[in-house]
Amino acid sequence: MEEVGQDLAQYERELSRPHSPSPSPAARRKLSTASKSTSMSATVARSNKRTSSDRASPEPIASVSPRRLQENPTPKEKTPGASPARKRQKQVFTDRFIPNRPSNSDLASAYHLLHDEGSPALSSGLKSKKRAPHNDLQFQKTEEANRTYSSVLRSELDLPSTVPDHRDSPYLSSRASGRGRTPPLTNTSLHGPSISPATPRKNLLSFSSPKHLSAGSDPLSPSKTPSSRRSANLDPRSAIYSLSPIKYSSQQLLLSPQKQPRAVSKVPYKVLDAPELADDFYLNLVDWGTSNILGVGLGKCVYMWNSDSGKVTKLCELDQDSVTSVNWIQKGSHIAVGTHKGYVQIWDANAGRRLRTMTGHASRVGALAWNEHILSSGSRDRSILHRDVRLPDQYIQRLTGHKQEVCGLKWNPDDGQLASGGNDNRLLIWDGMATEPLWKFTEHQAAVKAIAWSPHQRGLLASGGGTADRTIRFWNTMTGNLVQEVDTGSQVCNLAWSKNSNEIVSTHGFSQNQIVVWKYPSMQQVVSLTGHTYRVLYLAMSPDGEVIVTGAGDETLRFWNVFRKREKSSSLGKFEASLR
């Protein structure tokens, strides 16, 4: 066929030439042969087309037997085209949803009454909000309300109570009144991952007939329907006389007195201007002495504020130097002043005169601590110097345990131990005048400036880390163990224990600039105070332990009444009454 086609094409080209001669006899014979072959091919094609069309034409339905349709099915070829319109399903509208009730269902697993922390579970379709830190005061109040709600719900549904705060309550029991009994729990876990939700077998609002109650039911519920005046239930607490939708035990739980947190004023009762109060994390410029006088370092001067009279006096002014730390002696009117050039001066506050100037440091003195006649100073030169103010020597001992600036220093007068914190993230415990540290704590991840010894428990030390750490840690310096730690969420600048109660106050910097009072050892917030617009870098406590003063880079001193008065013992009260 290909050769025939080529001959036809050549013949047509020859005919299309304007002056071509007549074809030769041989060419005319080839042309006639090609024409015959072409006509035969067209005939065969028409015959095949008729045959295929006859085969594709369907037979009448009546002439086709069902058996033939089953044995020789003829698939219908699909032609490409537009997709057919989807058939709209009929919508069924009802007034309520009636679920199935399988026989083996469990109430707790069906409805997931409680989540892991004991408060009502959130819907899975809702986006969970960012939870506040567990130490936040509002978060603690919300959790307490959720626990109360969970206890009432468990009591109403006869579920065993698992809430720790109410497990000692006399009003909760695993089998209360029979006002809506549910099937017993078959699984101890309320939230097993393999348990699929199901509808409980019994209706939640069904009431048990009094004649079917067991002998161990609530005695407040009637054991049988009263049929006469002689057998009438005269108990006013009985369920048949109750106007409340909940049981008597739940009512008692809600009406029982709860321990309310003590009220603390969130407004400072006094605010003083403190111009040139340095915004430096590594300095200690505020201290409150036993003579009820507050010492503050402002620039090159040291000022004193008398809490009794409210009078402010200037103690000293340094020449070509600046104040970097102040600290009162435990008993007396002497105050130590550290300077930027590395000097330590001792002043008599009553007389207003300088007693002596001591050297030994090569850089600024940012931390001072008294222990009777021993004055310890910490400097940026990474050393700690012990000075006996009774001796003419500049210092009697040098400690070189830190690798960076020493910014925290506190003596424990009960045990004779010294705690030092530095910018090297280390907390060191020194036993007396020893030259090597007794303990080295390296758990903090930032500078350790906040240090406080507990007056209520021997060997208990609290320390706080800077911006990268944000954690308060409690140490047992008798054993060297970490007792507890809590993440505060912000930079810890200062710590101070209450003298009257087992509470501790902390001041913070980035990013909330708050003052927080904690209850130890639960570390629950008693109150959170705000007001400073800069980091609360300075903290001091009054001699009676009721008032704290805080200072910040906003150049203000704020006085807060946060702690209660010391409670007198009953024997002391009786003795004083007898004297009257």
Side-chain angles (χ1 to χ4, degrees), residues 393-404:
D393 300 333
Q394 297 297 320
Y395 59 90
I396 59 175
Q397 194 68 262
R398 179 185 292 270
L399 309 179
T400 57
H402 288 279
K403 298 180 180 180
Q404 292 191 36

Side-chain angles (χ1 to χ4, degrees), residues 106-157:
D106 182 61
L107 177 63
S109 62
Y111 289 101
H112 285 223
L113 298 177
L114 303 174
H115 63 66
D116 295 338
E117 296 186 3
S119 59
L122 295 174
S123 173
S124 59
L126 299 176
K127 293 183 179 180
S128 59
K129 297 181 179 180
K130 184 178 179 181
R131 295 179 66 89
H134 285 260
N135 304 102
D136 184 72
L137 189 59
Q138 186 62 31
F139 175 84
Q140 293 173 4
K141 292 181 179 179
T142 303
E143 287 299 299
E144 179 65 24
N146 288 336
R147 284 192 291 266
T148 303
Y149 170 81
S150 302
S151 300
V152 174
L153 183 60
R154 286 181 177 275
S155 176
E156 291 297 309
L157 298 178

Side-chain angles (χ1 to χ4, degrees), residues 81-260:
S83 59
R86 181 177 297 176
K87 185 178 180 180
R88 178 176 295 180
Q89 297 181 356
K90 185 179 180 181
Q91 296 183 0
V92 180
F93 298 94
T94 59
D95 59 343
R96 58 184 175 178
F97 174 70
I98 303 177
N100 295 327
R101 298 183 181 275
S103 59
N104 53 349
S105 61
D106 182 61
L107 177 63
S109 62
Y111 289 101
H112 285 223
L113 298 177
L114 303 174
H115 63 66
D116 295 338
E117 296 186 3
S119 59
L122 295 174
S123 173
S124 59
L126 299 176
K127 293 183 179 180
S128 59
K129 297 181 179 180
K130 184 178 179 181
R131 295 179 66 89
H134 285 260
N135 304 102
D136 184 72
L137 189 59
Q138 186 62 31
F139 175 84
Q140 293 173 4
K141 292 181 179 179
T142 303
E143 287 299 299
E144 179 65 24
N146 288 336
R147 284 192 291 266
T148 303
Y149 170 81
S150 302
S151 300
V152 174
L153 183 60
R154 286 181 177 275
S155 176
E156 291 297 309
L157 298 178
D158 295 326
L159 297 176
S161 177
T162 58
V163 183
D165 289 0
H166 301 288
R167 60 188 173 189
D168 297 331
S169 175
Y171 309 115
L172 287 181
S173 60
S174 60
R175 298 181 63 86
S177 66
R179 185 178 285 199
R181 296 194 176 274
T182 54
L185 292 176
T186 57
N187 194 338
T188 57
S189 175
L190 293 180
H191 305 286
S194 61
I195 299 178
S196 59
T199 305
R201 178 176 56 185
K202 290 187 178 182
N203 191 351
L204 290 177
L205 302 179
S206 64
F207 291 85
S208 302
S209 177
K211 63 182 180 179
H212 296 301
L213 292 175
S214 60
S217 60
D218 192 347
L220 302 180
S221 300
S223 59
K224 62 180 180 178
T225 304
S227 58
S228 63
R229 184 184 301 272
R230 182 177 56 184
S231 60
N233 191 341
L234 301 179
D235 187 0
R237 298 178 180 178
S238 177
I240 61 175
Y241 303 121
S242 177
L243 299 179
S244 174
I246 60 176
K247 304 173 188 177
Y248 179 75
S249 59
S250 300
Q251 297 177 39
Q252 292 297 104
L253 176 63
L254 294 177
L255 295 176
S256 60
Q258 302 292 332
K259 186 177 182 180
Q260 298 294 334

Side-chain angles (χ1 to χ4, degrees), residues 282-283 323-325 337-344 361 363-368 377-380 387 405-406:
Y282 301 98
L283 305 185
V323 180
T324 55
S325 58
V337 178
T339 70
H340 185 77
K341 292 185 177 180
Y343 300 114
V344 176
H361 288 296
S363 185
R364 70 179 184 184
V365 180
L368 294 169
S377 58
S379 172
R380 183 184 272 180
R387 312 171 189 270
E405 180 176 6
V406 180

Side-chain angles (χ1 to χ4, degrees), residues 151-451:
S151 300
V152 174
L153 183 60
R154 286 181 177 275
S155 176
E156 291 297 309
L157 298 178
D158 295 326
L159 297 176
S161 177
T162 58
V163 183
D165 289 0
H166 301 288
R167 60 188 173 189
D168 297 331
S169 175
Y171 309 115
L172 287 181
S173 60
S174 60
R175 298 181 63 86
S177 66
R179 185 178 285 199
R181 296 194 176 274
T182 54
L185 292 176
T186 57
N187 194 338
T188 57
S189 175
L190 293 180
H191 305 286
S194 61
I195 299 178
S196 59
T199 305
R201 178 176 56 185
K202 290 187 178 182
N203 191 351
L204 290 177
L205 302 179
S206 64
F207 291 85
S208 302
S209 177
K211 63 182 180 179
H212 296 301
L213 292 175
S214 60
S217 60
D218 192 347
L220 302 180
S221 300
S223 59
K224 62 180 180 178
T225 304
S227 58
S228 63
R229 184 184 301 272
R230 182 177 56 184
S231 60
N233 191 341
L234 301 179
D235 187 0
R237 298 178 180 178
S238 177
I240 61 175
Y241 303 121
S242 177
L243 299 179
S244 174
I246 60 176
K247 304 173 188 177
Y248 179 75
S249 59
S250 300
Q251 297 177 39
Q252 292 297 104
L253 176 63
L254 294 177
L255 295 176
S256 60
Q258 302 292 332
K259 186 177 182 180
Q260 298 294 334
R262 61 183 179 88
V264 178
S265 176
K266 294 189 176 183
V267 179
Y269 72 88
K270 184 183 291 292
V271 179
L272 297 179
D273 289 331
E276 297 186 55
L277 185 62
D279 184 22
D280 194 329
F281 177 80
Y282 301 98
L283 305 185
N284 295 272
L285 297 175
V286 178
D287 194 33
W288 205 328
T290 55
S291 56
N292 209 14
I293 296 178
L294 181 69
V296 185
L298 302 177
K300 299 186 297 182
C301 304
V302 176
Y303 291 89
M304 296 185 300
W305 177 77
N306 192 315
S307 177
D308 298 328
S309 63
K311 185 179 178 180
V312 178
T313 58
K314 183 167 72 172
L315 176 64
C316 65
E317 182 175 357
L318 304 181
D319 184 19
Q320 296 181 354
D321 204 347
S322 61
V323 180
T324 55
S325 58
V326 295
N327 191 252
W328 288 93
I329 195 170
Q330 284 94 338
K331 295 179 181 180
S333 61
H334 291 176
I335 184 173
V337 178
T339 70
H340 185 77
K341 292 185 177 180
Y343 300 114
V344 176
Q345 299 180 0
I346 300 179
W347 286 75
D348 186 352
N350 292 339
R353 64 187 183 91
R354 185 178 60 188
L355 300 180
R356 63 183 299 184
T357 299
M358 294 178 287
T359 61
H361 288 296
S363 185
R364 70 179 184 184
V365 180
L368 294 169
W370 284 89
N371 184 22
E372 295 181 353
H373 55 275
I374 299 297
L375 175 61
S376 301
S377 58
S379 172
R380 183 184 272 180
D381 63 6
R382 302 171 293 179
S383 65
I384 300 173
L385 298 182
H386 291 316
R387 312 171 189 270
D388 192 339
V389 296
R390 302 170 302 178
L391 302 178
D393 300 333
Q394 297 297 320
Y395 59 90
I396 59 175
Q397 194 68 262
R398 179 185 292 270
L399 309 179
T400 57
H402 288 279
K403 298 180 180 180
Q404 292 191 36
E405 180 176 6
V406 180
C407 52
L409 209 59
K410 287 292 174 63
W411 275 100
N412 183 9
D414 299 332
D415 299 325
Q417 291 182 337
L418 175 67
S420 64
N423 196 32
D424 54 359
N425 309 343
R426 304 175 73 185
L427 175 65
L428 304 182
I429 308 299
W430 310 83
D431 191 8
M433 306 295 290
T435 57
E436 293 296 328
L438 177 64
W439 305 108
K440 296 180 181 181
F441 301 127
T442 59
E443 280 76 5
H444 284 289
Q445 304 300 318
V448 183
K449 175 192 175 185
I451 301 173

